[in-house]
Amino acid sequence: MNTNAIPAQTPAVSASNVAMQFSDLMAVKDANFELENGRFLTILGPSGSGKTTLLRMIAGFLKPTQGQIFINGKEVNAVAPNKRSVGMVFQKLALFPHMTAAQNVAFPLKMRRFDAKKIPARVLEFLNLVRLDGLENRRMNELSGGQQQRVAIARALVFEPDLLLLDEPLAALDRKLREEMQLEFRRIQKELGVTTINVTHDQREALVVSDQIIVMDNGEIQQDASPTQMYRTPHNPFVANFIGVTNLFDGKLMSASAEGAEVHVGDLTLSGILRSSSDASVLGSQARCAVRAEQIRIAAAPDALGTLDLTFQGVVKDVIFEGERLLYELSVPELGDEPVRIFHHDQNDFATHDVGETVHIGWMNRDLHIFVAS
Amino acid sequence: MPIDKTFNRRQLLKTTATVGAAGVFVASAPSILRAAEPDKPSEIIVRAWGGPWVEALKNGVSDRFTAETGIRVIHDLTEDNEIQPKVWAAVAQGRTPPIHINWDTTTNATKSALRGVCEDLSDLSNIPGTTDLAKPVGVDGYPIVNTYGYVYVLAYRPSAFPDGPPKSYHDLLDPKFKGRLAFYNDGIGFHFPAQVAGGGSLDGIPDAMDPAWEFITKMKDQNPLLGEDPDFVTWFQNGEIDAACTISTNALGAKKNGVDIAWTVPDEGAKFDTDGLWIPKGHSEGDLYWSKAYINSALTKESQQIWLDGLGLPGVVPGLTPPPGMAGDPAYPTKPEDFERLIRISGQIQVENESDWFSKFKTIMQG
Amino acid sequence: MQRSPSSYPIIWRVMDVLETTFAAVWPKGGGKFTPYLMLTPAIVLVGTLVVGLLYIGDSSLRVLDRSTFLFSDYWTLDNYIRALSEPFIFTVVWRSLLGAVIVTIVTLMLAFPYAYIMVRTPSSFVRKFLLIALFLPFFIGQVVRAYGWLIILGNQGIVNDVLGLVGVEPLRLLFNYPAVLFGLVQYMLPFGVLMLAPALTAIPEEIEAASGSLGASWVKTMTHIVLPMAKPGLIGAGLVVLTLSLTDFAMPAILGGGTQDFIANAIYDQFFRTSDQGFGSTLALLLIALGSILVGIIFAVFGAGTLALDGSRK
């Protein structure tokens, strides 16, 4: 869609020093990002992180108190929502209960003065796209939750907007339906090639559907990267902790170089890769180490671990069966009081460690991320 | 019904005090009371109009009655037309009526008399001493005793009539009075003068009243205001109207409030009517006896003088002193010639027809 | 976690007392009928009304004999014939009906924006101000308010004083049909707003935002989304205002200057001025019938479901 004359290098959406202040609350601070045409961006963050505020500014419901938002290179700060070419799927869907599915989908076409003769065909086309053919005359209270989602998507897309915004529309769904709809969003987005911005607090959803992820916390953009980059090279402890299950250890930075760094945690020295580009990478300053639960190996005997850079002994405190994997919680005295969490996927090794059993764990130094406190 | 609530209470108290100081209290227990007296009730209930009305009744009749007999008098201020259905229902169901004595318009009281719910009062010892006015017209005997009369005068604002008082209701048809006139909303008091003004005769009431309706139709084009007693005083005070057909007491009330106002009886005449007292059936012998004694005491000259000084109206015993400024006033008729210009229609004819007259009047005025 | 017994909601205690009483009266228990026991007061109340109506119905069939002021001991339709043939009654009925419809339309037109702003304003100060401005006249009462208008709109009232400053002769603003309707609208406005506000609150703001993002201007959002979704509130408010206006007594009596009687005024006259309870009852039944027909028409046109009485709705 939108194969018009916009130069390839012009981002579909960009934000420049955007801020939003509500009386005494700074909801969004100095946000900058760019989104390429046709890409799927997810803004990820806990509730209160400012992600919805940022989305509502892009939609035009809020006017930034500072900075500029561009859509296809044009500044849109002062453009009303109904004058923007933006389709939005709302958190509570905001479907019109007094209209049928087809009327809901036809609504934006009528409001945007489409050729009235072409409206019915277009409506059917988009209802087909979201696989609702045959349900066009149902009212909203006659549709299931998933079907309502599809009406909302069709309604947001039917007028072929430059931009599709998703304001956590899947948050209220049960997990199975949510995962189904995530894939559905992905499919439709790819099919139409529409530039999309999705807001969610579900890190799994962000990893699954996105081309690009922005993690927000406390009104600030923490990292703007592709899903794999986000996962592999988190910029700070918040991102490391928010995406995936991560073990954190606090200590003092002892050495730092491009190849690696060393941190004293208690009596131990942990080696890893310095992720922080902070100028405060001064030796002796506070540092935080992060290692993901799935990157720690676990075995009954040390030799069963294979080649690892660092190994410990621990006692199993709890075993949680999660279906495709096990989550072990271990007490490792050398690593402090906090339990160490480990994912274990080895099918043949299932349930071999019981609570109270002494086990051996270890990781590779390249999997330990080191952040220096700023 | 009546009238305005703006009587000057201070005036009333002053009058009472004067009379009291003169020591005019004469124990006037009627002869029938000296016969075997039944047991006294501890109290009797008299329905009255509120404000200055009940004040005047209390000073003139109730307090004197209590002093004389020791029976407490309770004044029930339920509206006259709202007590009527309750009394009728009580009598019909053989219950004790809610009141002992009803102070009522003679017209309304006549309905009750026709319905047969009134005790006969013919044997009151003071009736022989009253004028003809006390006798209700159109009913047998004394189911009601009239206690005073009043006139539906033509009240006017002198500044609106620089050439002197209006002589006739025809004078009100002048276009400059459009929207500046007022009548009762059912036309009461105006039907009869309108009959004369329309060229008809009083003998044509109630059978040949077309002249009245024609004249009222002409009057309708003047767009008059239609109201109830309190409205007239307010309208005169607020400068809404220049002339009105209303009970003299309302005009007097407005005048006492400082409004420049006068009243007259026009060539067509003015409706004269009376108020009275009656006792509903269904009371015990003792209660009936002492209720009659109350009405009897209201017919003494002394009681009438105090009561009616408060109301500014002519009584039904001879020799009363008119209130200040009312002597010779057309609204205070005492001599036979005073009555010549007043129209008095029998209560029976009125009650039998007023529903139709009201309806006809409203049809014309609200059509 | 120990909680003191006093922390139970008071309604639980009321229910406990009711249940204990019921168990004592009827030890076997009423089974599934027990909940319906709560309806007893309402049924007694409605029953009393029905008995009253039967009495009125009986009265309406008896004519007054004006030579004895007793009612006929036989039934006759004379009162109904009179009601349908008397031009004055037709005038009054038509005036009441037309007035009620006009007042309803105007009230809804004024109440809608008022309620909308009250519900949607982000400023709690504005909301409180609007609420107080709404409730203050509510507490004052209809009669006092009507007298207030007499003072404000009278020949020597504030409005004419201001007009006098610009050289306009005093205008007769009172004692006519518009004055009555004006007073009624002012009286009905709080009812309208209070009935509309919950309906508007029930419309999520997100719906309006959605409409805007889909390309609808503010006006189109109002006409296509908010108004249709507020329909139950509009119908409810309309019903209340319509029936209250149709049956009003005080405004026509006070602001009409005796020339603008509504049906209730005509009924009052029959009961209390001409002592004809028979004809008065006939007019009262006529008024009840008229009101019921109007409500019936509204239900027929819009459906009872618009009041959210439709059980199938989720």
Side-chain angles (χ1 to χ4, degrees):
Chain A
M1 211 171 294
N2 294 308
T3 52
N4 45 23
I6 298 163
Q9 67 272 24
T10 306
V13 182
S14 67
S16 162
N17 303 105
V18 168
M20 184 71 215
Q21 185 163 20
F22 298 116
S23 54
D24 56 347
L25 173 79
M26 205 69 182
V28 172
K29 301 167 195 161
D30 197 35
N32 291 283
F33 73 88
E34 288 187 354
L35 173 62
E36 274 176 45
N37 206 16
R39 309 253 292 174
F40 195 122
L41 166 69
T42 292
I43 304 174
L44 176 68
S47 56
S49 61
K51 57 187 191 300
T52 297
T53 304
L54 184 55
L55 189 80
R56 294 180 80 83
M57 285 191 281
I58 298 166
F61 300 130
L62 293 172
K63 202 178 165 190
T65 45
Q66 184 195 307
Q68 293 155 300
I69 292 170
F70 300 88
I71 296 177
N72 289 335
K74 278 185 291 237
E75 204 221 82
V76 293
N77 281 28
V79 180
N82 58 325
K83 306 286 182 203
R84 298 185 187 194
S85 181
V86 172
M88 183 151 171
V89 180
F90 289 81
Q91 194 163 19
K92 289 176 184 133
L93 301 186
L95 295 166
F96 305 133
H98 58 296
M99 298 183 188
T100 63
Q103 285 167 336
N104 264 282
V105 176
F107 184 79
L109 299 176
K110 282 187 184 137
M111 292 302 122
R112 291 172 186 269
R113 300 182 188 286
F114 268 56
D115 185 348
K117 278 173 284 182
K118 293 182 183 161
I119 288 180
R122 171 72 81 91
V123 168
L124 281 183
E125 178 193 331
F126 273 79
L127 283 173
N128 284 342
L129 175 75
V130 297
R131 298 174 179 164
L132 279 181
D133 19 333
L135 299 179
E136 56 267 21
N137 291 324
R138 296 274 185 94
R139 282 183 185 271
M140 294 308 106
N141 57 2
E142 298 162 343
L143 294 175
S144 72
Q147 289 166 335
Q148 292 183 13
Q149 294 278 342
R150 291 162 189 272
V151 176
I153 298 164
R155 190 180 68 172
L157 289 173
V158 70
F159 59 100
E160 305 195 328
D162 293 343
L163 182 62
L164 174 65
L165 303 180
L166 308 172
D167 182 13
E168 292 197 72
L170 304 179
L173 297 184
D174 61 75
R175 185 174 159 185
K176 187 154 166 45
L177 186 56
R178 186 164 68 232
E179 288 176 0
E180 180 192 322
M181 289 307 298
Q182 285 165 3
L183 295 176
E184 192 69 5
F185 274 136
R186 187 70 183 149
R187 174 184 73 81
I188 294 166
Q189 194 267 338
K190 287 278 175 256
E191 203 166 320
L192 298 176
V194 61
T195 312
T196 302
I197 301 180
N198 175 41
V199 156
T200 187
H201 61 266
D202 179 346
Q203 45 109 355
R204 194 192 121 80
E205 177 183 323
L207 296 174
V208 167
V209 300
S210 315
D211 300 316
Q212 181 181 346
I213 297 175
I214 288 176
V215 173
M216 287 190 76
D217 182 45
N218 210 8
E220 283 177 286
I221 293 183
Q222 302 292 325
Q223 191 169 353
D224 176 358
S226 71
T228 43
Q229 277 177 314
M230 192 69 80
Y231 189 83
R232 288 185 184 146
T233 59
H235 272 182
N236 57 36
F238 177 83
V239 176
N241 201 30
F242 196 72
I243 295 183
V245 174
T246 303
N247 298 290
L248 295 172
F249 315 106
D250 288 327
K252 270 200 180 80
L253 186 69
M254 300 313 291
S255 72
S257 70
E259 291 77 40
E262 287 184 323
V263 175
H264 273 183
V265 176
D267 299 331
L268 286 171
T269 300
L270 302 184
S271 296
I273 295 167
L274 192 63
R275 296 295 179 199
S276 180
S277 56
S278 167
D279 295 335
S281 308
V282 180
L283 301 186
S285 61
Q286 289 290 323
R288 180 167 270 196
C289 308
V291 59
R292 294 193 185 280
E294 65 271 28
Q295 279 154 347
I296 304 178
R297 277 191 233 165
I298 179 168
D303 48 356
L305 288 172
T307 315
L308 290 175
D309 294 334
L310 195 57
T311 60
F312 305 93
Q313 241 181 21
V315 178
V316 176
K317 288 286 170 200
D318 205 354
V319 188
I320 298 155
F321 179 59
E322 292 188 353
E324 77 276 19
R325 70 188 179 195
L326 286 173
L327 169 62
Y328 288 105
E329 289 199 356
L330 266 65
S331 157
V332 181
E334 287 174 276
L335 288 170
D337 299 332
E338 287 293 309
V340 175
R341 291 171 297 174
I342 302 167
F343 286 136
H344 191 56
H345 287 264
D346 184 354
Q347 305 239 338
N348 302 325
D349 206 15
F350 256 5
T352 49
H353 313 298
D354 293 325
V355 173
E357 192 180 326
T358 301
V359 292
H360 295 268
I361 63 166
W363 61 69
M364 303 292 286
N365 285 345
R366 59 153 208 265
D367 293 329
L368 186 85
H369 311 286
I370 295 172
F371 310 101
V372 177
S374 51
Chain B
M1 75 145 264
I3 285 170
D4 83 300
K5 319 262 197 278
T6 52
F7 257 103
N8 188 327
R9 184 178 160 160
R10 205 180 309 151
Q11 174 74 29
L12 208 67
L13 293 175
K14 207 159 65 188
T15 316
T16 316
T18 317
V19 174
V24 197
F25 187 79
V26 180
S28 57
S31 56
I32 60 161
L33 298 185
R34 300 206 181 91
E37 290 183 347
D39 288 345
K40 286 178 183 174
S42 63
E43 60 187 36
I44 59 170
I45 302 167
V46 179
R47 194 220 70 84
W49 289 290
W53 292 84
V54 67
E55 217 37 62
L57 181 74
K58 183 173 182 298
N59 292 324
V61 185
S62 301
D63 284 355
R64 291 164 56 86
F65 176 77
T66 304
E68 193 180 327
T69 63
I71 298 171
R72 210 147 54 91
V73 178
I74 311 279
H75 297 106
D76 179 335
L77 300 184
T78 311
E79 275 294 307
D80 55 345
N81 46 21
E82 283 166 16
I83 202 83
Q84 187 190 58
K86 293 184 189 174
V87 172
W88 286 9
V91 175
Q93 294 162 13
R95 287 185 283 117
T96 306
I99 53 168
H100 289 87
I101 293 161
N102 197 4
W103 181 13
D104 208 350
T105 65
T106 302
T107 312
N108 258 340
T110 302
K111 294 180 191 171
S112 297
L114 290 172
R115 198 178 155 104
V117 301
C118 303
E119 293 282 2
D120 181 53
L121 304 172
S122 309
D123 57 352
L124 293 188
S125 65
N126 283 339
I127 284 186
T130 58
T131 63
D132 286 350
L133 215 53
K135 168 86 181 76
V137 183
V139 288
D140 294 334
Y142 281 88
I144 313 144
V145 179
N146 296 333
T147 49
Y148 55 85
Y150 53 88
V151 180
Y152 288 85
V153 293
L154 173 53
Y156 63 97
R157 190 190 302 281
S159 56
F161 293 87
D163 304 332
K167 291 194 172 50
S168 155
Y169 275 107
H170 282 280
D171 293 353
L172 303 186
L173 296 176
D174 188 320
K176 72 171 176 175
F177 296 122
K178 203 170 171 74
R180 305 286 303 166
L181 307 173
F183 297 95
Y184 284 98
N185 55 20
D186 47 17
I188 195 163
F190 185 53
H191 303 127
F192 308 150
Q195 168 80 356
V196 179
S201 127
L202 292 177
D203 297 335
I205 298 171
D207 298 323
M209 288 185 68
D210 284 346
W213 308 131
E214 281 161 22
F215 189 72
I216 289 169
T217 307
K218 280 186 200 165
M219 195 56 87
K220 196 241 163 181
D221 294 337
Q222 289 292 72
N223 222 350
L225 299 187
L226 304 172
E228 313 247 358
D229 283 304
D231 297 326
F232 293 98
V233 180
T234 318
W235 289 340
F236 270 122
Q237 274 175 351
N238 294 346
E240 303 272 357
I241 54 172
D242 292 328
C245 172
T246 183
I247 293 174
S248 60
T249 315
N250 294 325
L252 188 65
K255 189 172 189 172
K256 282 179 175 167
N257 286 358
V259 180
D260 182 20
I261 190 173
W263 52 88
T264 181
V265 172
D267 292 348
E268 291 87 359
K271 185 189 181 210
F272 179 84
D273 221 329
T274 49
D275 285 348
L277 301 173
W278 59 277
I279 303 169
K281 285 183 177 167
H283 285 293
S284 68
E285 194 190 333
D287 284 23
L288 173 61
Y289 179 88
W290 291 104
S291 300
K292 280 182 168 182
Y294 179 93
I295 295 181
N296 206 39
S297 78
L299 297 174
T300 60
K301 191 177 170 190
E302 296 76 16
S303 288
Q304 284 256 305
Q305 183 71 54
I306 304 171
W307 185 14
L308 299 175
D309 276 352
L311 302 179
L313 295 171
V316 294
V317 295
L320 295 176
T321 314
M326 292 303 286
D329 193 286
Y332 195 89
T334 47
K335 300 182 289 294
E337 55 268 34
D338 293 340
F339 282 97
E340 273 171 23
R341 294 170 66 203
L342 301 180
I343 305 166
R344 205 172 168 207
I345 300 291
S346 111
Q348 192 185 2
I349 292 179
Q350 289 198 46
V351 298
E352 282 183 7
N353 294 285
E354 68 169 19
S355 170
D356 298 332
W357 297 339
F358 291 172
S359 162
K360 185 83 185 167
F361 183 85
K362 289 198 165 195
T363 307
I364 293 170
M365 283 299 179
Q366 299 200 25
Chain C
M1 217 171 54
Q2 275 287 324
R3 298 182 73 187
S4 77
S6 64
S7 65
Y8 288 130
I10 191 86
I11 190 75
W12 292 14
R13 299 174 157 271
V14 173
M15 295 304 293
D16 284 350
V17 170
L18 282 177
E19 277 177 38
T20 314
T21 313
F22 180 62
V25 173
W26 194 0
K28 279 184 189 169
K32 61 179 177 167
F33 295 109
T34 312
Y36 291 97
L37 220 61
M38 301 291 284
L39 281 177
T40 317
I43 289 170
V44 169
L45 212 63
V46 172
T48 315
L49 270 174
V50 169
V51 171
L53 268 180
L54 288 178
Y55 272 97
I56 290 179
D58 176 74
S59 296
S60 76
L61 293 167
R62 298 177 190 276
V63 283
L64 180 70
D65 178 349
R66 289 193 210 137
S67 62
T68 60
F69 273 83
L70 294 170
F71 288 92
S72 62
D73 49 11
Y74 54 89
W75 281 359
T76 164
L77 288 174
D78 285 1
N79 283 329
Y80 288 90
I81 294 165
R82 183 179 160 199
L84 296 178
S85 57
E86 222 173 81
F88 176 63
I89 300 300
F90 178 80
T91 307
V92 164
V93 167
W94 173 244
R95 177 186 294 137
S96 313
L97 254 180
L98 183 71
V101 170
I102 293 173
V103 166
T104 305
I105 292 169
V106 175
T107 302
L108 289 184
M109 274 164 38
L110 295 176
F112 185 83
Y114 196 109
Y116 185 81
I117 293 169
M118 199 172 80
V119 165
R120 286 288 192 253
T121 178
S123 153
S124 71
F125 172 79
V126 171
R127 180 165 22 252
K128 278 177 196 149
F129 173 81
L130 290 175
L131 266 175
I132 290 169
L134 190 69
F135 270 106
L136 218 53
F138 226 44
F139 296 140
I140 294 172
Q142 195 188 6
V143 173
V144 178
R145 261 195 279 171
Y147 277 110
W149 287 120
L150 289 185
I151 294 166
I152 292 167
L153 298 176
N155 269 20
Q156 297 175 353
I158 298 160
V159 173
N160 269 317
D161 282 355
V162 173
L163 288 176
L165 292 179
V166 292
V168 179
E169 288 289 304
L171 294 172
R172 167 56 46 77
L173 301 169
L174 286 170
F175 314 129
N176 49 36
Y177 198 38
V180 174
L181 299 189
F182 176 82
L184 276 173
V185 166
Q186 200 259 349
Y187 173 53
M188 296 299 164
L189 196 59
F191 292 101
V193 173
L194 287 180
M195 296 287 295
L196 271 177
L200 291 175
T201 311
I203 302 173
E205 274 184 80
E206 207 177 50
I207 288 251
E208 288 175 49
S211 172
S213 83
L214 293 170
S217 63
W218 182 80
V219 175
K220 288 202 163 157
T221 299
M222 282 293 141
T223 53
H224 285 73
I225 307 300
V226 179
L227 274 176
M229 286 184 72
K231 202 168 82 175
L234 286 168
I235 304 287
L239 278 177
V240 168
V241 174
L242 189 76
T243 46
L244 284 181
S245 305
L246 186 67
T247 55
D248 198 60
F249 175 83
M251 287 296 167
I254 297 169
L255 294 181
T259 60
Q260 306 295 335
D261 284 1
F262 274 31
I263 304 175
N265 307 79
I267 294 172
Y268 180 91
D269 282 356
Q270 290 307 325
F271 268 94
F272 295 118
R273 205 185 292 269
T274 57
S275 315
D276 193 344
Q277 293 177 31
F279 192 51
S281 299
T282 306
L283 292 181
L285 286 181
L286 199 73
L287 178 56
I288 292 170
L290 205 62
S292 309
I293 290 170
L294 276 179
V295 172
I297 289 173
I298 289 172
F299 275 154
V301 171
F302 298 103
T306 53
L307 279 184
L309 295 175
D310 186 344
S312 71
R313 291 278 170 100
K314 281 177 211 162

